[in-house]
């Protein structure tokens, strides 16, 4: 369905003013990172998972999608063409952003007649070492059953700018959204999944269509399971969050980040932080695998050169 | 905030791949029509309402907006520059599409650093004379409380492509959405508002944030009121729709269109159609005002030349 693409220098693209993405938000994105190994080779992490997630999203948004091979090939070629922008080992990564969007003329409210798949990249640092201070949002919902919360549609993000901007102005790092139907279960933050730890049990909300099935989320569940923790995917009532020993978030940008506090209806709960946390251990293990420092026994990484 | 724009020929625009509209759907649109009068003058209809609605939407989407004067001026200049594309009186209209979008580089999930306001136009016919056969959608919701259903965000449209495409494949014209919280009250269709008639009472769902405050909707309420009908804005349970004598939809594209049938959970209800319907009377009056055939006592139209 998609013809072979070409590599071009980063710069403006041509876009029809009546295209589907500009008028009706018909677009999807992905996000992944390339890391430089100690020996200078470059590693990609579970790229086929991003390719598969884009296929699922494309189906929901009535778009054709590139094949898994086309997706991986485009990512690889983009990284190799930008090799000099992949930061030195331990100093950051090359963030890769694939976009799939309706680019045909599209005045009527219906799927576009033409689509564009493109990939661009930008070097990013390791991210702030900091912690997250979350505020529970009980007015705006990120997603609704039957909606697009379970895919990386562009339409999931700008609608939460307003509450997110307001929360940031109050000093919070991000919002923690509740489910739209009952308003009593936690879902995720604006761009990351959430986990709670109590005893030997790590829990995270089930991805039943309103929560993004994060690839970092999935990897962390597998690593934690390997550590001997019991990992549960289930509905998590906000009340249960009050009793957690440790809370952390996962995502491509932050990998794993500890949650220092959660504020809900004026009440602020604080959690365990520091070197002894599970979050730190998980972060070290996952980034170790991603950067080639820890042996990749699960076949998650791919060396490109 | 917005500098003065320029007129250019319709064609591709330059867009940064990492712009807010392409990555996070930060965009709004408007839709309005210019009609040719019998005497060749061109009429615009309640343009300041579109300008004001864009301001409300921009605030919700964390975007700056053009002033009402800038909006009206841009619309006027676009129409005048495309005067030869305004169809002859009675043969259609020039459909005008203002867009406001985040166009600054925007890798992070946050409001864009730069915005573009543009207006393009296309001649359109009077629309099919046909009627609507609606299917009630009880799985996917168009909007959710706290969300963006009450503004013309681009993010409200592509998420309903999938159920809409499936309904069209079954022969329906459009979907009628239910409220996300209770699933029991009607809201609107994919791109038009809905009214029900029983006796002397015309009812339409209240626009409390999940329903677009249509300008045609507002105008029809005023016209119907002038005809002596009692016009009510309120929650309308889907069950009440079964007892309606007449149902019709309103929107910029269709003006007023009769609903022939509504299908809900396998049950199909049919409504009054034809020359004697209120829908036809309202359509004739509103298009009469819009095209300069009926005297505009309310100051809704503006002649441009």
């Amino acid at each position: 369905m998609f013809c072979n693409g070409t590599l071009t220098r980063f710069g403006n693209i041509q876009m029809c003013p009546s295209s589907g993405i500009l008028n009706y938000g018909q677009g999807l994105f992905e996000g992944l990172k390339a890391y430089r190994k100690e020996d200078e080779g470059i590693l990609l992490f579970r790229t086929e998972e991003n390719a598969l997630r884009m296929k699922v999203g494309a189906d929901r948004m009535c778009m054709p999608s590139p094949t898994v091979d086309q997706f991986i090939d485009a990512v690889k070629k983009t990284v190799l063409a930008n090799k000099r922008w992949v930061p030195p080992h331990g100093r950051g990564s090359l963030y890769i952003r694939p976009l799939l969007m309706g680019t045909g003329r599209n005045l009527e409210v219906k799927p576009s007649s033409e689509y564009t798949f493109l990939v661009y990249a930008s070097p990013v640092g390791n991210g702030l070492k900091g912690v997250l201070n979350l505020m529970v949002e009980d007015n705006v919902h990120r997603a609704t059953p039957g909606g697009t919360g379970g895919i990386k549609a562009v339409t999931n993000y700008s609608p939460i700018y307003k509450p997110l901007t307001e929360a940031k102005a109050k000093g919070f790092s991000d919002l923690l959204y509740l489910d739209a139907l009952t308003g009593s279960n936690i879902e995720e933050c604006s761009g990351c999944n959430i986990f709670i730890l109590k005893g030997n049990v790590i829990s995270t909300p089930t991805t039943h269509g309103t929560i993004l099935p994060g690839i970092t989320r999935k990897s962390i569940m597998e690593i934690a399971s390997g550590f001997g923790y019991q990992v549960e995917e289930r509905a998590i009532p906000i009340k249960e969050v009050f009793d957690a020993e440790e809370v952390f978030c996962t995502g491509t940008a932050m990998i794993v980040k500890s949650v220092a506090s959660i504020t809900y209806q004026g009440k602020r709960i604080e959690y365990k932080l520091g070197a002894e946390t599970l979050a730190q251990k998980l972060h070290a293990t996952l980034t170790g695998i991603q950067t080639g420092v820890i042996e990749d026994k699960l076949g998650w990484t791919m060396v490109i050169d």
Side-chain angles (χ1 to χ4, degrees), chain A:
Chain A
M1 209 123 182
F2 281 85
C3 60
N4 289 330
T6 51
L7 281 165
T8 53
R9 285 183 67 85
F10 184 85
N12 285 349
I13 54 173
Q14 297 276 322
M15 186 76 62
C16 177
S18 66
S19 63
I21 180 72
L22 300 185
N23 291 261
Y24 304 120
Q26 198 187 14
L28 282 173
F29 71 92
E30 273 299 331
L32 60 159
K33 286 175 172 176
Y35 290 90
R36 202 176 286 275
K37 294 172 69 179
E38 283 172 305
D39 68 3
E40 290 287 295
I42 294 171
L43 282 177
L44 282 174
F45 182 76
R46 306 189 85 170
T47 313
E48 70 285 2
E49 294 284 341
N50 297 92
L52 290 167
R53 191 167 63 181
M54 179 166 274
K55 282 186 86 72
V56 171
D59 180 65
R60 175 62 182 79
M61 297 293 279
C62 296
M63 304 164 88
S65 60
T67 64
V68 171
D69 284 348
Q70 282 177 322
F71 184 100
I72 295 176
D73 187 55
V75 168
K76 269 191 198 172
K77 285 189 171 132
T78 305
V79 175
L80 291 175
N82 291 286
K83 217 170 159 176
R84 68 194 176 105
W85 292 109
V86 183
H89 178 77
R91 300 277 298 281
S93 60
L94 185 73
Y95 180 83
I96 305 147
R97 171 60 59 92
L99 286 182
L100 177 64
M101 48 197 178
T103 43
R105 291 192 181 190
N106 204 175
L107 198 51
E108 215 183 315
V109 176
K110 68 175 189 185
S112 187
S113 54
E114 201 181 300
Y115 295 87
T116 300
F117 172 59
L118 68 82
V119 181
Y120 66 89
S122 171
V124 294
N126 279 329
L128 293 171
K129 286 279 173 194
V131 293
L132 299 169
N133 288 290
L134 306 179
M135 188 179 90
V136 179
E137 170 61 54
D138 51 6
N139 178 31
V140 176
H141 300 282
R142 184 188 164 277
T144 189
T148 56
I151 60 168
K152 278 191 93 71
V154 304
T155 56
N156 297 338
Y157 297 85
S158 52
I160 52 86
Y161 280 174
K162 199 177 171 72
L164 180 60
T165 304
E166 288 166 1
K168 285 190 174 172
K170 288 178 194 153
F172 294 101
S173 326
D174 201 346
L175 291 168
L176 174 57
Y177 299 93
L178 300 176
D179 77 288
L181 279 190
T182 71
S184 61
N185 297 321
I186 60 168
E187 295 218 309
E188 62 176 304
C189 298
S190 304
C192 54
N193 295 115
I194 191 162
F195 288 79
I196 64 171
L197 170 70
K198 188 162 186 184
N200 190 48
V201 182
I202 297 172
S203 308
T204 191
T206 317
T207 55
H208 47 44
T210 58
I211 294 172
L212 190 81
I215 295 161
T216 309
R217 173 184 178 277
K218 186 176 175 177
S219 306
I220 285 300
M221 286 167 68
E222 291 176 67
I223 293 171
S225 211
F227 285 171
Y229 287 90
Q230 183 180 330
V231 180
E232 294 183 351
E233 282 185 275
R234 59 186 174 85
I236 302 179
I238 176 69
K239 287 182 177 168
E240 198 179 321
V241 172
F242 300 162
D243 300 326
E245 289 157 24
E246 197 183 316
V247 179
F248 55 87
C249 288
T250 64
T252 297
M254 65 181 56
I255 315 293
V256 182
K257 223 174 195 176
S258 289
V259 172
S261 72
I262 296 180
T263 301
Y264 178 55
Q265 295 178 342
K267 189 178 166 190
R268 181 187 161 107
I269 309 109
E270 295 187 348
Y271 302 101
K272 188 179 166 189
L273 297 173
E276 298 307 306
T277 55
L278 174 63
Q280 290 250 355
K281 195 176 161 192
L282 291 168
H283 185 276
T285 304
L286 184 51
T287 55
I289 296 169
Q290 287 174 330
T291 58
V293 171
I294 293 176
E295 192 194 348
D296 171 19
K297 292 177 187 164
L298 295 156
W300 285 348
T301 57
M302 168 168 61
V303 183
I304 55 171
D305 230 324

